[in-house]
Each structure stands twice: as C-alpha cells, then as structure tokens.
Amino acid sequence: MTDENEDWNDVETDAATAYPDYPDNPHNHIYTISMDSRGPMIVVRGNTPTEVNERFQALLDGGVTTIAASVYSHIKAEMQVANGVGPVSPAPAGLPAPPQGAPMPPPFGPNVSVPQAPGYQGPPAPPQGGNGQRNGPKPRPDWPVVYRIEVPFPQKEAFKAYRTQNQEYFKGKIAWAGGGGYWVHGDVAQTLSAYNPVPA
C-alpha cells in the first residue's frame, strides 16, 4: 500500500543519474583505424565539426597518422612478398634511419612516380646510342623488384649524405631516374620508407 503523501521526486532524480543521455557503448569508439589494400582508413567520430577537428588534430599531434602509414607500408611489402613479387630485405643492424624532412605533398607534375597522378609522364626515355651520358638519368633497371622514390628538393643534400654514409649497403641498388626521382632495388626499399617507395 502506498502513502498518498510519499514524495517521488527523489526517484526521478535517481533515474536521471542512473541513465545518462549517452550511455557507454564498448562498440562506439571515438577513433577506428582499418587497413586494406587501399591503405589506412581512419574514422573519427564527434558531435560537432569542432569536436571532429580537435580529434583529427590529436591524431596528428600523437603521430598516429605517421605510424599508420608506416604500418601500411610494411603490410604492403609483406603482401608483395606473399604474392611472389619479391623479397624485401630488412636494413642491416646499425643502419641509421633516412633523414626526415618536411612532409611530402601529394604527387603532381612530370616527375611523379604514380601513374594515376595528374601530370604523370612515365619513366625517362633511355639515352639513344652511345652519347656518353654516364651521369644522366637512368632508365628503369631490370632488377627483379624495382621501386621509385621521390626526394623533395629541400631534402636532396640530406638524402645524398645518407647514401654516402651507407654506400656499401646501397651500392648498385639506387639509380637516379631524373629530377628528384630514384630507382630503388627491392632489397633496400624498406630502408627508404620515409620516401614512400612505389612499385615501378
């Protein structure tokens, strides 16, 4: 039996605190990162554009996008090995990492190595006859696995110093392709992951 003078206001207050507007859901993450053959897919959730922007900035500040790109590069190399494209040898112990510089912009223009990119013109034509172009751009080498990298102009000297410092490791495995482009043997491509090697 209920007393008519019983106060039910406390029940409403308790119910509001017991059942919040946004209950915790272990399947509703703020960030989700998935990888497939196209690369990392990052999903960021927020209730407002400002919240989404802040969360994207937190990913950038925390280095998550850099690590995701590195993991994808590794996965892609492993997939190529599994598909018989060719082995990618790890760098020998003690080899320093390639120099880091400003982030590279998306490929564009005549020196890009991505066939789908705007302005792609393909590899340079081989020199005609014996015109003695010993130091000129080289055609795509006939190595079993060939990658192409683009070294941004501001990083040119640091890249040259890195190659010189590790010349025994890189000997015969890097060839100039013209402009900022270089042909890279599959054995050393992983060592140069900072330059986003692309199968050539």
Side-chain angles (χ1 to χ4, degrees), residues 95-161:
L95 187 70
Q100 298 293 321
M104 292 176 45
F108 182 84
N111 292 325
V112 298
S113 60
V114 182
Q116 298 83 3
Y120 176 75
Q121 294 180 358
Q128 300 297 319
N131 61 1
Q133 281 193 340
R134 181 178 158 343
N135 294 325
K138 306 291 185 235
R140 182 189 182 279
D142 60 356
W143 300 324
V145 179
V146 180
Y147 289 83
R148 184 172 162 118
I149 61 171
E150 290 292 324
V151 178
F153 186 76
Q155 296 178 23
K156 179 182 171 187
E157 291 305 316
F159 178 70
K160 183 178 177 182

Side-chain angles (χ1 to χ4, degrees), residues 89-92 94-99 143 149 158-176 182-195 197:
S89 303
L95 187 70
W143 300 324
I149 61 171
F159 178 70
K160 183 178 177 182
Y162 178 66
R163 283 180 35 222
T164 302
Q165 179 183 0
N166 301 289
Q167 61 187 340
E168 286 304 312
Y169 177 68
F170 291 126
K171 187 174 184 178
K173 297 188 177 184
I174 297 178
W176 183 46
Y182 291 86
W183 304 114
V184 177
H185 192 287
D187 289 349
V188 299
Q190 189 172 4
T191 308
L192 299 167
S193 62
Y195 299 103

